[in-house]
Amino acid sequence: MKLFVDSNYLSPYAMSVFVALREKHLPFETVLVNLERQEQSDPLYAEVSTTRRVPAISDDGFHLSESSAICEYLEDRYPGTALYPSDIQSKARAREIQAWLRSDLLPIRQERSAEVVFLKRSPPPPLSAEAQTSVRKLIAATQSFLQPGRTSLFDQWSIADTDLALMLNRLRLAGDTLPARLAAYAEAQWQRPSVQEWVNKPRPAC
């Protein structure tokens, strides 16, 4: 299997698939795609990723892009650590959380970019009013999703935990205030070995 990721290891969506592969204990080769050089627009890459985005995988001749679709494919195709809860409703909830994090909260993603998370740069400027509105929405939803006293969204870890923790860590690592139990959850999820392996990838000071 090949996993195609951005050459700076900054994509949170590439991280999600990387963690999923590590949790499944699947061997794979990492292929770096330089987005600044527009390598994702190369016709050869289009043979792997129809959407010409990262991440993408190539698995024995089957090509797939979009991180949540890849995670669902890996769950259906391979045994190993479960990426999603077995209960139908909990699985649907995990997919809801993934879809929401990818389609909403844009002001947070813009003002607390992945560079803040992975390059450990100095604290960015204060959040705009629009971003603060998104933060309140994120906090309220996470407090609803995450039951008090839990260190994961469900009875066991799921890939939705990794995705949600990353969004929370955009704020926590930038020095923004989070409710204590949400900050503790984000920190606990960040220490998962598969996550730490991605976090500690060597990156250029881009």
Side-chain angles (χ1 to χ4, degrees):
M1 189 183 301
K2 292 183 179 180
L3 169 63
F4 296 81
V5 305
D6 59 300
S7 58
N8 291 330
Y9 295 105
L10 291 178
S11 167
Y13 311 117
M15 171 182 161
S16 185
V17 175
F18 178 91
V19 169
L21 287 165
R22 283 290 188 248
E23 294 292 339
K24 288 287 187 184
H25 301 290
L26 295 172
F28 64 93
E29 173 190 350
T30 301
V31 181
L32 301 181
V33 180
N34 191 313
L35 304 184
E36 294 178 357
R37 296 177 184 171
Q38 296 294 309
E39 290 180 356
Q40 72 275 23
S41 299
D42 191 301
L44 291 176
Y45 186 63
E47 296 178 7
V48 175
S49 174
T50 306
T51 61
R52 302 194 184 199
R53 306 210 303 176
V54 294
I57 62 167
S58 179
D59 183 24
D60 195 24
F62 175 68
H63 308 309
L64 189 65
S65 57
E66 301 304 316
S67 58
S68 55
I70 295 171
C71 289
E72 291 178 23
Y73 166 76
L74 295 174
E75 179 77 332
D76 293 340
R77 177 72 175 82
Y78 292 101
T81 301
L83 302 178
Y84 294 93
S86 58
D87 172 72
I88 291 176
Q89 292 184 347
S90 295
K91 183 185 294 184
R93 181 72 69 207
R95 289 171 170 169
E96 174 193 27
I97 292 169
Q98 283 190 297
W100 173 58
L101 293 172
R102 285 158 172 73
S103 62
D104 200 357
L105 309 174
L106 178 61
I108 296 176
R109 286 184 271 126
Q110 289 177 326
E111 297 183 31
R112 297 294 182 263
S113 71
E115 293 184 7
V116 172
V117 177
F118 298 121
L119 296 182
K120 301 178 177 63
R121 290 186 168 171
S122 58
L127 292 164
S128 67
E130 186 180 15
Q132 290 177 34
T133 298
S134 290
V135 168
R136 289 192 291 270
K137 184 177 182 181
L138 172 63
I139 289 173
T142 303
Q143 288 176 325
S144 176
F145 292 139
L146 182 66
Q147 297 303 307
R150 279 192 168 182
T151 57
S152 61
L153 290 164
F154 308 101
D155 290 338
Q156 303 292 332
W157 171 88
S158 77
I159 193 65
D161 284 302
T162 297
D163 291 344
L164 181 56
L166 192 147
M167 183 61 78
L168 292 169
N169 275 320
R170 289 176 183 271
L171 302 168
R172 186 180 69 88
L173 297 175
D176 299 308
T177 301
L178 286 174
R181 75 181 184 93
L182 301 193
Y185 162 80
E187 167 63 18
Q189 289 294 331
W190 213 236
Q191 297 310 312
R192 197 169 183 88
S194 56
V195 173
Q196 278 294 298
E197 185 178 351
W198 177 271
V199 169
N200 291 312
K201 290 285 187 184
R203 296 176 173 87
C206 56

